[in-house]
């Protein structure tokens, strides 16, 4: 008998999965954790062969659960079952040691089959999908790194002005808001354009948003 | 008086209509001409009023003043010429440079040099060198009015100065002519100035440019100056005459023209910068707003994808459980079949939420495979019956295979069938017809007995958010048929909507046969 721990915040879905696995002779759900903390407690208390983990959990994410499980002495095998389609997030799950990554729309028969195969020690990761997820993850890290590098070169004032530009303010409005002269605003803008290596305010805002140095303007005002 | 009149109208020239502008320019010219004619007549009747003061210092002062005024005008107008190229202004500046050069070389420099060296000034008493500068300036003013030849400022200035230098060298030692010849030699500059004035006035009436307006007046004064020069020939040397005073006035008018032109140019450029900045700010705001829409759409997609995926997965899991239990009776089996079928449908559609974007981008694709048409239409009939409960739905179809994506084509037909239910009275009949068209096409038709559609709006109801006039009473967004159209097109087919005789609407989707 393969013991299964469900880490899923949707109780109804967890119960449905418990019912589905209850119909089989070889799979048994021994626990249901709603959060990453629950999973840690249950994981240490129960003897679990396979953990079926949702990535989108309240507080800590499913990737934290994966990392936590991997570091245990008798580490259970992990199947990620998620509604997420964010390739970078799926890439993180693969990196954290998931034996399989499935979407929640997967057919029940297929899900059961994958759980059995992962319990037997297989890794069920389609090569092409996995590589595209990992590429997305690498690209995301690259962006974060760039943002950190570029963000570090901007002064606090320049970041502030870039944010105000993103909020749709013109030079005059910025000068008024920061209580500095229009000339000073111009100088700051020129400097930050130079640092970002762009030719216009529009490009600077676009780059800032892409790199996450600034936030999207609040449009509901 | 003319000056006051002009000063009061220059400010409003920009906002005046062409007719008003023409009127203003003509009025200024006439007033100035009348004033000058009166002056001319007075001087003719009372020749004693004509100036003829022999004062070397007054002469040098006048020339120096003229040099400063003209030089200043040339400078303020010439400096921004590179940013705002204009042939008229190039010629005008060159004329100012020529006048300034003549004043400097023939008036100020020799007089000052003579003063220092204690000799007689050379050139001040020469007739031809002065005359040459008037010819060249006159030609340049005409050139400004004609905007021809199209030379750069530098080319104009260099060519004019070379011409002036050549004339000076050739004519420096030629002695002054007799009075009659001297007077007749003043006639061509007179004509050039008059022509220049006319051209400038004509251009000013069209463009309202302050430079042209003041140039026209200055040249008008210049023309009368020449008349005066003909009547009272130049008294050479250190004598200051009425002609010299008139020339000074004309020069001042040129300076006023140059200054007001520069003022307007700077006002224009400030205005342009202002407009550009506003434009940029508006564009920024627009980009931000668009960014907001995109972000909201993305958030909506994520919600649909993420939040609906789990409940649907739950339904499917329970359906899986129910299926493995022993069936109670037919109703139970049918109900379960319905749950499973709709959950599958929902699941397939959620999986394609991403393609909503592609729908707009035109990159809408279907995975086509051989599908039997009859079961597909029966499925739609079941859907329509469930949706309505009141309509009589009939299926009549050739049982052939078509090339289709069953989920997608099913979605299109559901949209059409839902419309048929929505827009026809309860108890009405809905026909689902499948028929072969020629050897390789197949037509799926939904006919209802509802409010119908007008022939002239069949195109509009298939457009995004398009709705027919008869549909106004029923709630709807006009997206269903648009999606159906895109799906039909992705099946290498098309959708047609037409009135059904005698009543209702007939929607047909034509696809490939397998």
């Amino acid at each position: 008998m393969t013991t299964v721990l469900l880490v899923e915040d949707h109780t109804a879905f967890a119960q449905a999965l418990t019912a589905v696995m209850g119909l089989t002779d070889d799979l048994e759900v021994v626990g249901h954790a709603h959060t990453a903390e629950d999973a840690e407690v249950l994981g240490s208390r129960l003897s679990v062969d396979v953990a079926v983990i949702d990535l989108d959990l309240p507080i800590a994410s499913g990737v934290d659960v994966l990392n936590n499980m991997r570091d245990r002495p008798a580490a259970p095998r992990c199947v990620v079952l998620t509604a997420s389609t964010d390739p970078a997030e799926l890439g993180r799950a693969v990196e954290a040691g998931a034996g399989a990554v499935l979407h929640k729309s997967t057919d029940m028969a297929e899900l059961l089959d994958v759980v059995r195969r992962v319990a037997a020690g297989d890794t069920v990761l389609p090569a092409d999908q996995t590589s595209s997820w990992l590429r997305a993850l690498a690209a995301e890290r690259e962006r974060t790194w760039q943002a950190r590098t570029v963000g570090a070169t901007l002064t606090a004032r320049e970041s502030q002005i870039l944010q105000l530009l993103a909020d749709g303010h013109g030079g005059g409005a910025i000068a008024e808001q920061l209580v500095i002269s229009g000339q000073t605003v111009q100088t700051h803008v020129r400097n930050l354009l130079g640092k970002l290596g762009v030719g216009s305010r529009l490009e600077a805002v676009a780059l800032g948003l892409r790199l996450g140095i600034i936030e999207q303007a609040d449009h509901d005002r | 008086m003319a000056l006051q009149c002009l000063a009061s109208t220059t400010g409003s020239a920009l906002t005046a209509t062409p007719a008003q502008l023409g009127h203003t320019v003509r009025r200024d010219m006439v007033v100035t001409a009348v004033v000058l004619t009166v002056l001319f007549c007075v001087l003719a009747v009372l020749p004693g009023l004509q100036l003829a003061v022999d004062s070397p210092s007054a002469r040098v002062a006048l020339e120096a003043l003229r040099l400063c005024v003209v030089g200043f005008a040339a400078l303020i107008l010439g400096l921004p010429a590179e940013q705002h190229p204009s042939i008229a202004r190039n010629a005008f500046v060159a004329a100012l440079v020529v006048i300034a050069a003549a004043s400097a070389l023939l008036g100020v420099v020799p007089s000052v040099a003579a003063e220092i060296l204690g000799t007689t000034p050379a050139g001040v008493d020469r007739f031809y060198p002065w005359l040459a500068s008037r010819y060249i300036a006159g030609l340049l003013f005409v050139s400004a009015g004609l905007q021809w030849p199209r030379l750069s400022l530098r080319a104009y200035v260099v060519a004019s100065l070379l011409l002036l230098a050549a004339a000076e060298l050739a004519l420096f030692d030629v002695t002054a002519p007799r009075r009659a010849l001297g007077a007749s030699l003043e006639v061509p500059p007179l004509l050039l100035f008059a022509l220049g004035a006319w051209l400038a006035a004509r251009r000013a009436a069209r463009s309202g440019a302050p430079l042209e307006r003041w140039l026209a007046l200055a040249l008008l004064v210049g023309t009368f100056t020449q008349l005066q020069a003909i009547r009272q020939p130049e008294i050479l040397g250190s004598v200051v005459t009425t002609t010299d005073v008139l020339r000074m006035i004309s020069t001042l008018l040129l300076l006023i023209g140059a200054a007001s032109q520069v003022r307007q140019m700077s006002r224009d450029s400030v205005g342009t910068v202002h407009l550009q900045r506003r434009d940029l700010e508006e564009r920024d705001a627009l980009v931000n707003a668009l960014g907001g829409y995109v972000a909201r759409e993305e958030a909506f997609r994520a919600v649909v994808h993420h939040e609906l995926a789990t409940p649907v997965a739950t339904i499917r899991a329970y359906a899986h459980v129910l299926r493995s239990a022993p069936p109670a009776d037919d109703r139970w089996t049918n109900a379960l079949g319905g749950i499973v079928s709709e959950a599958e449908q929902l699941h397939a559609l959620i999986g394609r939420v991403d393609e909503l974007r592609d729908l707009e981008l035109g990159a809408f694709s279907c995975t086509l495979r051989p599908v039997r048409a009859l079961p597909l239409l029966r499925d739609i009939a079941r859907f329509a019956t469930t949706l309505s409960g009141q309509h009589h739905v009939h299926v009549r179809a050739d049982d052939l295979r078509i090339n289709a994506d069953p989920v997608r084509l099913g979605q299109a037909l559901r949209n059409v069938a839902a419309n048929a239910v929505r827009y026809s009275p309860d108890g009405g009949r809905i026909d689902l017809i499948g028929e072969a068209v020629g050897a390789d096409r197949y037509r799926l038709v939904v006919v209802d007995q509802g409010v119908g559609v007008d022939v002239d709006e069949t195109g509009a109801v298939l457009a995004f958010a398009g709705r027919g006039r008869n549909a106004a009473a029923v709630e709807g967004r006009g997206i269903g048929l648009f999606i159906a159209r895109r799906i039909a097109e992705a099946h290498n087919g098309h959708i047609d909507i037409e009135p059904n005789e005698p009543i209702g609407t007939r929607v047909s989707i034509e696809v490939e046969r397998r």
Side-chain angles (χ1 to χ4, degrees), chain B residues 355-378:
Chain B
E355 293 179 21
L356 260 176
R357 245 184 331 190
D358 303 337
L359 196 77
E360 269 302 278
L361 299 174
F364 191 67
S365 67
C366 285
T367 315
L368 304 183
R369 60 184 173 84
V371 176
R372 276 177 60 199
L374 188 58
L376 189 68
L377 283 173
R378 286 204 178 121

Side-chain angles (χ1 to χ4, degrees), chain B residues 37-74:
Chain B
T37 312
V38 169
L39 179 71
F40 193 71
C41 294
V42 168
L43 289 178
V45 177
L46 304 166
L49 289 179
Q50 292 186 138
L51 272 179
V53 182
D54 186 0
S55 160
S57 54
R59 174 87 207 180
V60 172
L62 198 68
E63 288 301 336
L65 185 61
R66 198 159 123 98
L67 172 62
C68 291
V69 167
V70 175
F72 183 60

Side-chain angles (χ1 to χ4, degrees), chain B residues 3-12 27:
Chain B
L3 294 190
Q4 278 174 349
C5 181
L6 266 184
S8 65
T9 52
T10 308
S12 61
R27 187 194 60 196

Side-chain angles (χ1 to χ4, degrees), chain A residues 10 12-13 15-16 19-20 23 56 83-85 103-109 112 165-168 170-171 202 216 219-220, chain B residues 277 280-281 283-285 287-289 291-292 295-296 305-307 309-311 313-314 316-318 320-321 324 344 347 354:
Chain A
H10 284 79
F13 185 55
Q15 285 171 347
V20 168
L23 294 174
D56 189 28
S84 168
T85 49
H103 191 259
K104 278 185 174 167
S105 61
T106 308
D107 190 62
M108 283 302 135
L112 296 176
L165 286 174
D167 293 344
L202 219 56
Q216 187 82 44
H219 298 281
D220 300 327
Chain B
R277 184 180 302 163
L280 256 180
E281 282 174 6
R283 221 182 308 169
D284 272 2
V287 166
N288 279 331
R296 270 203 289 270
H305 212 111
H306 192 261
E307 299 305 323
T310 306
T314 309
R316 295 174 78 221
Y318 277 127
H320 183 88
V321 173
S324 44
E344 291 304 324
H347 154 230
D354 285 337

Side-chain angles (χ1 to χ4, degrees), chain B residues 69-402:
Chain B
V69 167
V70 175
F72 183 60
L75 211 62
I76 59 172
L77 205 56
L79 280 181
E82 296 303 316
Q83 288 100 43
H84 309 272
S86 148
I87 302 300
R89 197 154 3 96
N90 291 349
F92 178 74
V93 172
L96 293 180
V97 170
V98 166
I99 296 171
S103 272
L105 295 175
L106 301 170
V108 180
V109 174
S111 301
V112 172
E115 194 65 37
I116 294 167
L117 300 172
T119 57
T120 344
V124 183
D125 54 348
R126 304 286 167 175
F127 173 78
Y128 284 111
W130 285 111
L131 185 69
S133 73
R134 285 200 281 284
Y135 272 75
I136 296 169
L139 283 171
L140 286 169
F141 285 133
V142 171
S143 167
L146 293 173
Q147 291 203 290
W148 184 90
R150 309 186 73 79
L151 299 177
S152 69
L153 175 64
R154 189 172 304 171
Y156 260 116
V157 171
V158 170
S160 312
L161 287 179
L162 284 177
L163 204 58
L164 182 67
E168 304 303 290
L169 286 176
L171 301 168
F172 194 77
D173 279 334
V174 180
T175 47
R178 285 199 310 269
R179 186 185 163 152
L181 179 60
S184 58
L185 283 174
E186 295 288 2
V187 175
L190 179 146
L191 296 176
L192 286 173
F193 289 164
L195 179 60
W198 179 70
L199 288 171
R202 212 180 55 161
R203 280 171 53 80
R206 273 207 301 266
S207 68
L211 178 64
E212 311 282 0
R213 296 156 64 92
W214 291 101
L215 175 60
L217 291 175
L219 290 179
L220 196 58
V221 176
T223 309
F224 276 88
T225 311
Q226 287 305 107
L227 270 178
Q228 175 66 15
I230 291 167
R231 197 175 59 191
Q232 181 194 19
E234 300 265 314
I235 303 171
L236 299 167
S238 53
V239 185
V240 177
T241 62
T242 313
T243 317
D244 292 314
V245 175
L246 283 173
R247 284 217 174 95
M248 194 59 223
I249 291 172
S250 152
T251 311
L252 280 170
L253 290 177
L254 289 180
L255 175 65
I256 295 171
S260 42
Q261 180 71 24
V262 168
R263 198 167 126 231
Q264 189 190 315
M265 273 157 63
S266 84
R267 211 186 294 155
D268 285 354
S269 74
V270 166
T272 311
V273 167
H274 222 74
L275 276 179
Q276 276 174 343
R277 184 180 302 163
R278 246 199 13 221
D279 196 35
L280 256 180
E281 282 174 6
E282 276 170 15
R283 221 182 308 169
D284 272 2
L286 192 65
V287 166
N288 279 331
L290 281 178
Y293 291 134
V294 170
R296 270 203 289 270
E297 192 196 318
E298 191 61 33
F300 173 73
R301 257 177 4 90
V303 165
V304 169
H305 212 111
H306 192 261
E307 299 305 323
L308 286 188
T310 306
V312 172
T314 309
I315 295 172
R316 295 174 78 221
Y318 277 127
H320 183 88
V321 173
L322 288 178
R323 263 182 170 167
S324 44
D329 56 28
D330 277 357
R331 274 188 310 175
W332 192 89
T333 315
N334 285 342
L336 178 59
I339 291 173
V340 170
S341 155
E342 288 308 304
E344 291 304 324
Q345 195 72 34
L346 204 50
H347 154 230
L349 292 178
I350 289 171
R352 285 170 171 173
V353 161
D354 285 337
E355 293 179 21
L356 260 176
R357 245 184 331 190
D358 303 337
L359 196 77
E360 269 302 278
L361 299 174
F364 191 67
S365 67
C366 285
T367 315
L368 304 183
R369 60 184 173 84
V371 176
R372 276 177 60 199
L374 188 58
L376 189 68
L377 283 173
R378 286 204 178 121
D379 200 31
I380 302 305
R382 262 198 301 280
F383 165 79
T385 311
T386 320
L387 192 68
S388 146
Q390 304 287 329
H391 292 74
H392 303 287
V393 186
H394 299 268
V395 179
R396 169 166 50 87
D398 301 333
D399 192 11
L400 295 169
R401 280 177 193 279
I402 54 175

